[in-house]
Amino acid sequence: MSVGFAAIGAAVGEGYTAGKANEALSFRPNLVGEIMKTMLVGQAVAETAGIFGLVIAMLLLFSPVEGKSILTAWAYLGAGLSMGLSAIGCGIGAGLPAGTACQGIGRQPAVAGQLSTLMLIGSGVAQSTAIYGFLIALLLLYKQLPMEMNLIPAFSMIGAGLCMGFGGIGPGIGEGLAAGEAVSAVARNPLTVGLMTRTMLVGQAVSESTGIYSLVVALLLTLAV
Amino acid sequence: MEIMGADLVKACACLGAGISMGLGAIGPGVGEGFAAGKACEAIGRNPQEAGLLTRTMLVGQAVSESTGIYSLVISLLLLFVV
């Protein structure tokens, strides 16, 4: 049963992150060779969430299961959900500024450096909810569990995974939208880069708040219940 | 081990708290990001209005945040009251 649930968790994590990678790739406009570097950097950032998902899936697959409590199965399922779902949002979110940065460099090759810096800041912030998802997944993986089956910790661990997983999607996409628009605005009007960075960061901070609520509730479910 | 009715209620309340906060965070997250993105776009077109646009963006985001806070309240109620 442990192996079965762990496999479900790993499959959910990997399946969603693979879907995310495809989706992020579809945002890439087909532009010529000089923007190849920016595209690859942007893709590498969008890929980070996928790599987090892969790490968690590997940990789930190669964890020893003999002699573990049956509650471990629920913890592994929660870990897979947390990482897999939150990676969707961050993958899409990091893909959006990368796409507009490629477009912007195609339009204004002179400000390529500023555009890639802004893109990296924006997609870095969009990654943050994937990092929260990774944190919750690790906490669930290495939680000390009692041997006897009890519904309360089982359901609270699934709840923590769902909470952080779904809660990571919205802020990830929203921060990516903000960063994407900021990058395209700088490409149109490069003089406003300082103002734009400030507005983008304020907007992203507000958008992050629901992700932080999810993190708080997931931590409560993991550690306090 | 026998599973008592009260355990089931508590367990389902925990699951419900997670689903409430998780799904409730999607909408405000995307919506606030959308507002921030449009504000950036507008400041890019008309940088003189940056102060006004930032204020409007923050007011809009605060309203959009309210459903996220409702979800937080409901999940805390489920966790600590039920």
Side-chain angles (χ1 to χ4, degrees), chain A residues 181-182 184-193 195-196 199, chain B residues 37-50 53:
Chain A
E181 294 281 8
S184 76
V186 169
R188 261 190 222 122
N189 192 349
L191 294 176
T192 57
V193 62
L195 185 63
M196 206 58 72
T199 314
Chain B
K38 288 293 173 193
C40 286
E41 195 188 0
I43 291 176
R45 290 227 179 89
N46 192 353
Q48 281 87 22
E49 294 297 327
L53 285 168

Short mmCIF file of all heavy atoms in Angstrom, two decimals, chain A residues 181-182 184-193 195-196 199, chain B residues 37-50 53:
data_model
loop_
_atom_site.label_atom_id
_atom_site.label_comp_id
_atom_site.label_asym_id
_atom_site.label_seq_id
_atom_site.Cartn_x
_atom_site.Cartn_y
_atom_site.Cartn_z
N GLU A 181 4.21 41.18 -18.10
CA GLU A 181 3.80 42.51 -18.57
C GLU A 181 4.89 43.53 -18.29
O GLU A 181 5.11 44.45 -19.09
CB GLU A 181 2.50 42.95 -17.88
CG GLU A 181 1.29 42.10 -18.24
CD GLU A 181 0.70 42.47 -19.59
OE1 GLU A 181 1.31 43.27 -20.31
OE2 GLU A 181 -0.38 41.94 -19.91
N ALA A 182 5.59 43.41 -17.14
CA ALA A 182 6.65 44.36 -16.82
C ALA A 182 7.77 44.27 -17.86
O ALA A 182 8.27 45.28 -18.33
CB ALA A 182 7.19 44.10 -15.43
N SER A 184 7.51 43.23 -20.96
CA SER A 184 7.13 43.75 -22.27
C SER A 184 7.01 45.27 -22.22
O SER A 184 7.29 45.94 -23.21
CB SER A 184 5.85 43.09 -22.78
OG SER A 184 4.74 43.59 -22.13
N ALA A 185 6.63 45.84 -21.04
CA ALA A 185 6.57 47.30 -20.94
C ALA A 185 7.96 47.90 -21.02
O ALA A 185 8.16 48.94 -21.64
CB ALA A 185 5.88 47.71 -19.64
N VAL A 186 8.96 47.27 -20.40
CA VAL A 186 10.34 47.77 -20.49
C VAL A 186 10.84 47.68 -21.92
O VAL A 186 11.56 48.56 -22.40
CB VAL A 186 11.25 47.02 -19.51
CG1 VAL A 186 12.70 47.35 -19.76
CG2 VAL A 186 10.91 47.40 -18.09
N ALA A 187 10.44 46.61 -22.62
CA ALA A 187 10.86 46.50 -24.01
C ALA A 187 10.29 47.64 -24.85
O ALA A 187 10.91 48.07 -25.81
CB ALA A 187 10.42 45.16 -24.59
N ARG A 188 9.08 48.14 -24.47
CA ARG A 188 8.50 49.26 -25.22
C ARG A 188 9.11 50.58 -24.82
O ARG A 188 9.27 51.45 -25.64
CB ARG A 188 7.00 49.30 -24.94
CG ARG A 188 6.23 48.65 -26.05
CD ARG A 188 4.76 48.90 -25.91
NE ARG A 188 4.10 47.66 -26.23
CZ ARG A 188 3.30 47.03 -25.41
NH1 ARG A 188 3.04 47.52 -24.23
NH2 ARG A 188 2.76 45.90 -25.78
N ASN A 189 9.40 50.72 -23.52
CA ASN A 189 9.83 52.02 -23.00
C ASN A 189 10.99 51.80 -22.02
O ASN A 189 10.78 51.78 -20.81
CB ASN A 189 8.62 52.66 -22.30
CG ASN A 189 8.87 54.10 -21.98
OD1 ASN A 189 9.99 54.58 -22.09
ND2 ASN A 189 7.82 54.79 -21.58
N PRO A 190 12.22 51.60 -22.55
CA PRO A 190 13.33 51.16 -21.68
C PRO A 190 13.71 52.15 -20.59
O PRO A 190 14.37 51.77 -19.63
CB PRO A 190 14.49 50.98 -22.66
CG PRO A 190 13.87 50.89 -23.99
CD PRO A 190 12.62 51.70 -23.94
N LEU A 191 13.27 53.43 -20.72
CA LEU A 191 13.66 54.41 -19.71
C LEU A 191 12.99 54.14 -18.36
O LEU A 191 13.45 54.61 -17.33
CB LEU A 191 13.29 55.82 -20.18
CG LEU A 191 14.07 56.29 -21.40
CD1 LEU A 191 13.58 57.65 -21.85
CD2 LEU A 191 15.54 56.35 -21.07
N THR A 192 11.87 53.40 -18.36
CA THR A 192 11.12 53.23 -17.12
C THR A 192 11.55 52.01 -16.33
O THR A 192 10.79 51.54 -15.47
CB THR A 192 9.62 53.08 -17.42
OG1 THR A 192 9.47 51.97 -18.29
CG2 THR A 192 9.05 54.31 -18.06
N VAL A 193 12.75 51.48 -16.59
CA VAL A 193 13.07 50.17 -16.03
C VAL A 193 13.05 50.15 -14.49
O VAL A 193 12.54 49.20 -13.88
CB VAL A 193 14.40 49.64 -16.61
CG1 VAL A 193 15.56 50.52 -16.26
CG2 VAL A 193 14.66 48.22 -16.16
N LEU A 195 11.30 52.19 -12.37
CA LEU A 195 9.90 52.29 -11.95
C LEU A 195 9.17 50.97 -12.14
O LEU A 195 8.40 50.52 -11.27
CB LEU A 195 9.27 53.39 -12.81
CG LEU A 195 7.85 53.80 -12.52
CD1 LEU A 195 7.79 54.39 -11.14
CD2 LEU A 195 7.40 54.81 -13.55
N MET A 196 9.46 50.32 -13.27
CA MET A 196 8.76 49.09 -13.61
C MET A 196 9.15 47.97 -12.66
O MET A 196 8.30 47.19 -12.22
CB MET A 196 9.15 48.71 -15.03
CG MET A 196 8.14 47.89 -15.72
SD MET A 196 6.60 48.76 -15.75
CE MET A 196 6.98 50.00 -16.93
N THR A 199 7.25 48.62 -9.42
CA THR A 199 5.82 48.28 -9.51
C THR A 199 5.62 46.77 -9.59
O THR A 199 4.74 46.21 -8.93
CB THR A 199 5.21 48.94 -10.76
OG1 THR A 199 5.63 50.27 -10.81
CG2 THR A 199 3.71 48.87 -10.72
N GLY B 37 0.14 43.09 -13.59
CA GLY B 37 0.64 43.08 -14.96
C GLY B 37 0.08 44.24 -15.76
O GLY B 37 0.81 44.95 -16.46
N LYS B 38 -1.25 44.47 -15.64
CA LYS B 38 -1.87 45.56 -16.40
C LYS B 38 -1.36 46.91 -15.91
O LYS B 38 -1.20 47.84 -16.72
CB LYS B 38 -3.39 45.49 -16.29
CG LYS B 38 -3.98 44.34 -17.07
CD LYS B 38 -3.79 44.54 -18.55
CE LYS B 38 -4.23 43.31 -19.33
NZ LYS B 38 -3.78 43.35 -20.72
N ALA B 39 -1.11 47.02 -14.59
CA ALA B 39 -0.58 48.28 -14.07
C ALA B 39 0.80 48.55 -14.66
O ALA B 39 1.10 49.68 -15.08
CB ALA B 39 -0.51 48.25 -12.56
N CYS B 40 1.64 47.50 -14.74
CA CYS B 40 2.96 47.68 -15.34
C CYS B 40 2.84 48.12 -16.79
O CYS B 40 3.55 49.01 -17.25
CB CYS B 40 3.75 46.37 -15.30
SG CYS B 40 4.35 45.95 -13.68
N GLU B 41 1.90 47.49 -17.51
CA GLU B 41 1.72 47.82 -18.92
C GLU B 41 1.34 49.29 -19.06
O GLU B 41 1.88 50.03 -19.89
CB GLU B 41 0.62 46.93 -19.49
CG GLU B 41 0.57 46.92 -20.98
CD GLU B 41 -0.64 46.17 -21.49
OE1 GLU B 41 -1.43 45.67 -20.66
OE2 GLU B 41 -0.81 46.11 -22.70
N ALA B 42 0.38 49.75 -18.20
CA ALA B 42 -0.11 51.12 -18.28
C ALA B 42 0.98 52.11 -17.90
O ALA B 42 1.12 53.16 -18.53
CB ALA B 42 -1.32 51.29 -17.39
N ILE B 43 1.80 51.78 -16.89
CA ILE B 43 2.90 52.69 -16.50
C ILE B 43 3.91 52.77 -17.64
O ILE B 43 4.48 53.83 -17.91
CB ILE B 43 3.55 52.21 -15.19
CG1 ILE B 43 2.58 52.40 -14.03
CG2 ILE B 43 4.81 53.00 -14.90
CD1 ILE B 43 3.10 51.88 -12.73
N GLY B 44 4.10 51.65 -18.34
CA GLY B 44 5.00 51.67 -19.48
C GLY B 44 4.51 52.63 -20.57
O GLY B 44 5.30 53.30 -21.22
N ARG B 45 3.17 52.74 -20.75
CA ARG B 45 2.65 53.66 -21.76
C ARG B 45 2.70 55.08 -21.29
O ARG B 45 2.91 55.99 -22.08
CB ARG B 45 1.19 53.30 -22.07
CG ARG B 45 1.05 52.02 -22.81
CD ARG B 45 0.11 52.14 -23.98
NE ARG B 45 0.06 50.83 -24.63
CZ ARG B 45 -0.80 49.89 -24.30
NH1 ARG B 45 -1.69 50.13 -23.36
NH2 ARG B 45 -0.78 48.73 -24.89
N ASN B 46 2.45 55.29 -19.98
CA ASN B 46 2.28 56.65 -19.48
C ASN B 46 2.96 56.78 -18.11
O ASN B 46 2.29 56.75 -17.08
CB ASN B 46 0.78 56.94 -19.37
CG ASN B 46 0.50 58.40 -19.14
OD1 ASN B 46 1.44 59.17 -18.93
ND2 ASN B 46 -0.76 58.77 -19.17
N PRO B 47 4.30 56.92 -18.10
CA PRO B 47 5.01 56.88 -16.81
C PRO B 47 4.66 58.01 -15.86
O PRO B 47 4.92 57.89 -14.66
CB PRO B 47 6.49 56.96 -17.23
CG PRO B 47 6.51 56.63 -18.67
CD PRO B 47 5.21 57.06 -19.22
N GLN B 48 4.06 59.12 -16.37
CA GLN B 48 3.71 60.23 -15.46
C GLN B 48 2.65 59.82 -14.45
O GLN B 48 2.56 60.39 -13.37
CB GLN B 48 3.19 61.44 -16.24
CG GLN B 48 4.27 62.27 -16.89
CD GLN B 48 4.63 61.73 -18.26
OE1 GLN B 48 3.83 61.02 -18.86
NE2 GLN B 48 5.83 62.03 -18.73
N GLU B 49 1.81 58.84 -14.83
CA GLU B 49 0.69 58.47 -13.97
C GLU B 49 1.07 57.35 -13.00
O GLU B 49 0.18 56.68 -12.47
CB GLU B 49 -0.50 58.03 -14.82
CG GLU B 49 -1.11 59.14 -15.67
CD GLU B 49 -1.69 60.24 -14.81
OE1 GLU B 49 -2.19 59.94 -13.71
OE2 GLU B 49 -1.61 61.41 -15.23
N ALA B 50 2.38 57.15 -12.78
CA ALA B 50 2.80 55.97 -12.02
C ALA B 50 2.18 55.92 -10.63
O ALA B 50 1.71 54.87 -10.18
CB ALA B 50 4.32 55.95 -11.90
N LEU B 53 -1.53 55.02 -10.82
CA LEU B 53 -1.72 53.64 -11.25
C LEU B 53 -1.35 52.66 -10.13
O LEU B 53 -2.04 51.66 -9.93
CB LEU B 53 -0.87 53.35 -12.49
CG LEU B 53 -1.44 53.97 -13.76
CD1 LEU B 53 -0.43 53.91 -14.87
CD2 LEU B 53 -2.70 53.25 -14.16
#
